Amino acid sequence: MSNIDPLKKKFETKSEKVRVELRKYLKEKGDAKIDEVSFAQVVGGMRGVKSMIWETSQLDPEEGIRFRGYSIPELRKVLPKRNEGKEPLPEGLFWLMLVGELPTDDQVSWLSAQWAKRAEIPKHTEKVLEALPADTHPMTQFSTAILSLQSSSEFANRYAEGMNKSEYWEATYEDSMNLIARLPRIAAYIYRRVYHNGDHIAPDPKLDWGGNFAHMLGIKGEDFKSLMRLYLTIHADHEGGNASAHTTHLVGSTLSDPYLAFSAAMNALAGPLHGLANQEVIKWIFKMCESLGTNSPSKEQIADYVQKTLSEGRVIPGYGHAVLRQPDPRFVAQKKFAEEYIDDSDVVETVWKVYEVVPDILKSLGKVKNPWPNVDAHSGALLVHYGLNQFSYYTVLFGVSRALGVLSSLCWSRALGLPLERPKSVTSEWLLNQVR
Ligand code: CMX
């Protein structure tokens, strides 16, 4: 297989070089100190503790995410596009993240075709989904469907047969490629099942991964396909410490296969402080509009509603971040998309007004470290504009995209031979004794 799969071959060469170097320095400089950990970091959710290797992207608090060194505006320029389209193909980002090189148009076409070839989902996965009550949250359905694919894991099957350690990366790569290929089918199946009476739409194998997903969702028009390509690109990775990425890394480190690891990651993404915030934002906006009796609230009305939300002991969804200290470039990219593609939309305008109002209010609280919008503050408004207005589904879209980053990173973890993750925990008494 490695002879006929150019991506796998490249990955093998690149990762082997890094593996050898890491091993060498581990032996020679294993005791070298790279950082210190404070009391606040232990109590405060390990913010900023440097404790894992993640090759595919790096997050700077001020500048935002860079994927293998490329910012989002740069990616929009340099990644291959489809035909005359303006938005990058997520396939290109996967290639870039996995091997650290920008792909050519031909390489991206090869990857689109590979994923189209691997996309079939087994009948039993459909049956598993059909057995769940239709009002089961779409993220629960998504995670369950992914788990149901686990029986086809090459990693698990080869491990059971005594696979050599040196082959872990290869089995992880095959599982990751198969899983990524199948995710749009699963996600579209859930969407059509829950919201369109099971009226499913056959895939179009001539389309790219994101375009085909848009097609199978049943939302018409080239602009929505463009939005999906951008959406699936910008949500893909946010370095390794965020909850869904870290979950993939942790679960994968036990040599659970990619299906088990990614399903677990989706359970983390389904939390309202993480990916579910995209659903919460739009729910919050529509509730505000409903309670004010207008689709176009003024900035004063929004400010009052924000204060009301805070006084109820709730967070303003879509604002704040554990690492970022500036408006999220993923928010900015979506705002730019709206400016370019959308002429007139009350919900988009409302998102922009919220952006003018919320940061000053959050700053005035004196405790919020980042008062700026994150990726989730804008995405729902774009989806509503194109008619995808089933809020509970939004995090599934995030999940499909997130697979690209966390699974390419999982390939790296197995290729580098990274061990079982096992940090040290302490009791509060021990910790307090260090500072008393
Ligand atoms: N609204 C109100 N209060 C907020 C807030 C917000 N948007 N963001 C942070 N705060 C509060 C925190 O709840 C915390 O309050 P307490 O001290 O009373 O507990 C205080 O400000 C300090 O928090 P922080 O250090 O600024 O933020 P954290 O790193 O602890 O948390 C995050 C980060 C994202 C969980 C938080 O900003 C938040 O809850 N935001 C809203 C939910 C959201 O949009 N999540 C999506 C993040 C992106 C993603 O993963 O998809």
Side-chain angles (χ1 to χ4, degrees), residues 54 56-57 65-67 71-72 75-76 79 87-91 93-94 97 139 142 183 209 213 226-240 242-245 248 262 265-266 269 274-279 281 318 321 328-335 337 373-383 393-408:
W54 199 263
T56 49
S57 67
I65 192 69
R66 278 187 181 265
F67 303 86
S71 67
I72 287 176
L75 284 186
R76 270 187 101 192
L79 281 181
E87 304 310 329
L89 290 172
E91 288 90 324
L93 179 63
F94 179 77
M97 286 192 291
M139 279 305 278
F142 191 49
L183 288 175
W209 188 71
F213 185 25
S226 297
L227 173 64
M228 274 299 99
R229 291 174 189 127
L230 177 70
Y231 186 109
L232 296 170
T233 299
I234 63 177
H235 286 77
D237 206 28
H238 221 220
E239 74 172 29
N242 70 78
S244 52
T248 313
F262 187 65
M266 291 303 94
L269 194 71
H274 192 14
L276 201 79
N278 62 8
Q279 153 189 321
V281 166
H321 199 271
D328 190 334
R330 302 171 298 176
F331 171 88
V332 176
Q334 294 178 85
K335 185 164 183 287
F337 184 96
N374 59 54
V375 64
D376 300 314
H378 209 309
S379 54
L382 295 173
L383 297 168
Y393 185 73
Y394 290 177
T395 313
V396 174
L397 299 170
F398 194 156
V400 172
S401 171
R402 190 42 61 104
L404 302 178
V406 301
L407 292 175
S408 51

Side-chain angles (χ1 to χ4, degrees), residues 47 273-274 277 315-316 318-322 367-369 374 376:
R47 298 289 183 280
L273 296 188
H274 192 14
V315 295
I316 307 302
Y319 281 77
H321 199 271
K367 64 173 183 179
V368 181
K369 294 195 192 67
N374 59 54
D376 300 314

Side-chain angles (χ1 to χ4, degrees), residues 189-411:
Y189 191 96
I190 294 167
Y191 181 72
R192 300 297 299 183
R193 167 179 189 241
V194 175
Y195 306 111
H196 292 276
N197 297 318
D199 178 14
H200 298 290
I201 298 172
D204 179 349
K206 291 189 298 304
L207 280 170
D208 51 291
W209 188 71
N212 194 30
F213 185 25
H215 159 75
M216 289 186 293
L217 288 170
I219 312 274
K220 302 248 179 314
E222 277 312 302
D223 285 3
F224 185 70
K225 288 194 180 69
S226 297
L227 173 64
M228 274 299 99
R229 291 174 189 127
L230 177 70
Y231 186 109
L232 296 170
T233 299
I234 63 177
H235 286 77
D237 206 28
H238 221 220
E239 74 172 29
N242 70 78
S244 52
H246 192 186
T247 302
T248 313
H249 181 74
L250 168 67
V251 176
S253 83
T254 70
L255 300 186
S256 274
D257 60 65
Y259 295 92
L260 292 166
F262 187 65
S263 171
M266 291 303 94
N267 300 338
L269 194 71
L273 296 188
H274 192 14
L276 201 79
N278 62 8
Q279 153 189 321
E280 296 301 295
V281 166
I282 206 76
K283 253 170 70 182
W284 180 82
I285 286 179
F286 277 96
K287 227 170 170 180
M288 168 172 72
C289 291
E290 194 188 308
S291 78
L292 296 170
T294 171
N295 288 334
S296 182
S298 67
K299 286 200 252 173
E300 292 69 29
Q301 287 175 310
I302 293 172
D304 287 346
Y305 196 79
V306 169
Q307 295 291 8
K308 177 175 172 297
T309 304
L310 293 171
S311 71
E312 290 164 354
R314 295 160 59 205
V315 295
I316 307 302
Y319 281 77
H321 199 271
V323 180
L324 283 169
R325 296 296 176 255
Q326 289 291 333
D328 190 334
R330 302 171 298 176
F331 171 88
V332 176
Q334 294 178 85
K335 185 164 183 287
K336 278 210 161 74
F337 184 96
E339 285 158 2
E340 278 176 44
Y341 288 78
I342 297 175
D343 279 338
D344 185 22
S345 156
D346 280 343
V347 64
V348 168
E349 301 270 330
T350 302
V351 163
W352 295 354
K353 276 189 233 161
V354 170
Y355 177 35
E356 288 180 53
V357 167
V358 166
D360 280 343
I361 299 179
L362 290 183
K363 276 184 215 166
S364 74
L365 298 179
K367 64 173 183 179
V368 181
K369 294 195 192 67
N370 178 40
W372 301 109
N374 59 54
V375 64
D376 300 314
H378 209 309
S379 54
L382 295 173
L383 297 168
V384 166
H385 175 77
Y386 289 106
L388 207 166
N389 48 23
Q390 298 87 357
F391 315 151
S392 313
Y393 185 73
Y394 290 177
T395 313
V396 174
L397 299 170
F398 194 156
V400 172
S401 171
R402 190 42 61 104
L404 302 178
V406 301
L407 292 175
S408 51
S409 280
L410 194 66
C411 292

